[in-house]
């Protein structure tokens, strides 16, 4: 059974995107989120690692498509380490929503937004005053700061308790809040996965893109692909996750194709690589 029979997008735009990638892979870019898409979600982000099949699938794809770009909120170097991407041909990592770039073993990044350092110093005290539930913790990402509630006894309730005041704190320091799965990330404005993906596609002169994501941070990338379709760039939108999972619903509604988390993404990438290299 061929790729087109195994993975059939539910929209005509998605089917057009698949045909474009298969017809001219050298003009196509494969865009991928990291956490929840290439790596299973875990309680401790520091323990996240790419699914065992990811590197093999990307190595095969990287030899035939225009590029594989991983677009993540993590620092680029961390994503490279946790994903095992060093030495995989054709893979570029855009970290911190595009503020950092890793390519060919080289990392480039601008200065850190001053608001990040300031909010880093006051955030623990603010959370204490708010009565943040036990299990709430802060992750320092260097160019952003994230408040996690996954370890709290009632994580969804904890997130809602903190959502508004954390948003106000971010605004005070010139930052914005990027919501995700039981996390509120305070980061500089004007940087998102949509802008990062759009800039990369234009840089490469891509005529087609397949983008896979699983969380609210990927909505901007989905919107970018939808916009680019109107400019003649064929696109396939893939939602990686269970449709009933609340953070995934918006992506699932907009996706051309839904697969079962990182395992489903690896299966898709593997089948695509096989189809492209069997020619």
């Amino acid at each position: 059974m061929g790729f087109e029979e195994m993975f059939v997008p539910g929209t005509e735009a998605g089917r057009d995107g698949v045909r474009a990638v298969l017809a001219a892979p050298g003009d196509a870019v494969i865009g991928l989120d990291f956490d929840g898409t290439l790596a299973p979600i875990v309680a401790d982000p520091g323990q996240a690692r790419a699914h065992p099949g990811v590197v093999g699938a990307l190595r095969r794809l990287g030899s035939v498509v225009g590029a594989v770009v991983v677009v993540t909120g993590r620092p680029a170097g961390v994503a490279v380490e946790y994903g095992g991407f060093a030495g995989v041909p054709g893979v570029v990592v855009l970290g911190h929503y595009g503020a950092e770039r890793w390519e060919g073993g080289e990392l480039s990044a601008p200065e850190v937004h001053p608001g990040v350092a300031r909010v880093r110093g006051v955030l623990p005290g603010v959370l204490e005053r708010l009565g943040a539930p036990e299990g709430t913790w802060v992750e320092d990402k260097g160019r952003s700061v994230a408040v996690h509630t996954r370890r709290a006894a009632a994580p969804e309730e904890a997130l809602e308790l903190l959502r508004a005041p954390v948003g106000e704190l971010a605004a005070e320091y010139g930052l914005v809040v990027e919501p995700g799965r039981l996390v509120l990330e305070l980061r500089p404005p004007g940087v998102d996965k949509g802008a990062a993906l759009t800039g990369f596609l234009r840089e490469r002169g891509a005529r087609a893109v397949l983008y896979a994501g699983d969380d609210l941070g990927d909505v901007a990338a989905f919107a970018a692909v939808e916009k680019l379709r109107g400019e003649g760039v064929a696109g396939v939108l893939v939602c990686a996750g269970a449709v009933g999972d609340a953070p995934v619903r918006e992506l699932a509604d907009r996706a051309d194709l839904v697969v079962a988390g990182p395992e489903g993404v690896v299966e898709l990438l593997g089948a695509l690589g096989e189809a492209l290299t069997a020619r």
Side-chain angles (χ1 to χ4, degrees):
M1 184 180 294
F3 178 83
E4 289 179 278
E5 290 74 36
M6 294 173 62
F7 297 96
V8 182
T11 67
E12 186 59 37
R15 292 189 288 273
D16 287 344
V18 167
R19 286 191 286 267
V21 171
L22 292 173
D27 294 329
V29 167
I30 307 301
L32 303 160
D33 168 48
F34 185 74
D35 291 282
T37 300
L38 295 181
I41 296 292
V42 293
D44 180 359
Q47 298 302 312
R49 296 296 184 272
H51 183 287
V54 164
V55 169
L58 295 189
R59 190 177 295 279
R60 192 170 196 176
L61 275 176
S63 67
V64 288
V65 300
V68 175
V69 61
V70 178
V71 189
T72 175
R74 286 184 180 272
V78 171
V80 171
E81 177 187 352
Y82 290 3
F85 302 138
V88 180
V91 174
V92 178
V93 178
L94 303 180
H96 280 301
Y97 304 95
E100 293 184 348
R101 178 169 179 151
W102 178 92
E103 183 173 6
E106 298 293 327
L107 180 67
S108 58
E111 293 294 323
V112 178
H113 189 289
V116 174
R118 294 170 186 156
V119 84
R120 181 186 295 124
V122 302
L123 185 56
V126 169
L127 294 178
E128 184 177 356
R129 289 195 297 275
L130 289 171
E134 183 178 356
T136 302
W137 63 286
V138 175
E139 178 188 9
D140 186 350
K141 293 187 174 185
R143 294 180 179 274
S144 64
V145 182
V147 180
H148 293 266
T149 63
R150 188 178 305 277
R151 299 174 186 169
E156 293 284 359
E157 293 177 15
L159 193 74
E160 288 308 311
L161 171 69
L162 300 175
R163 190 184 300 276
V166 167
E168 293 170 3
L169 179 67
E172 181 181 345
Y173 289 93
L175 305 175
V176 296
V177 172
E178 179 71 41
R181 293 194 188 195
L182 303 177
V183 60
L184 300 168
E185 183 169 343
L186 295 83
R187 60 175 176 78
V191 180
D192 62 43
K193 291 185 179 182
L197 182 63
T198 298
F200 186 81
L201 294 174
R202 287 179 173 159
E203 170 195 314
R204 295 301 176 100
R207 303 305 305 158
V209 57
L210 181 151
Y211 183 84
D214 79 305
D215 204 349
L216 296 176
D218 297 300
V219 170
F222 269 42
V225 172
E226 291 165 345
K227 181 179 179 182
L228 287 166
R229 283 171 170 167
E231 301 174 9
V233 178
V236 187
L237 294 171
V238 180
C239 174
V243 178
D245 193 356
V248 176
R249 287 174 193 155
E250 183 173 353
L251 291 184
D253 288 343
R254 297 169 74 160
D256 304 305
L257 189 64
V258 178
V259 299
E263 185 174 347
V265 171
V266 167
E267 185 179 1
L268 181 149
L269 296 178
L272 180 59
E274 183 176 349
L276 294 176
T277 55
R279 300 180 175 194

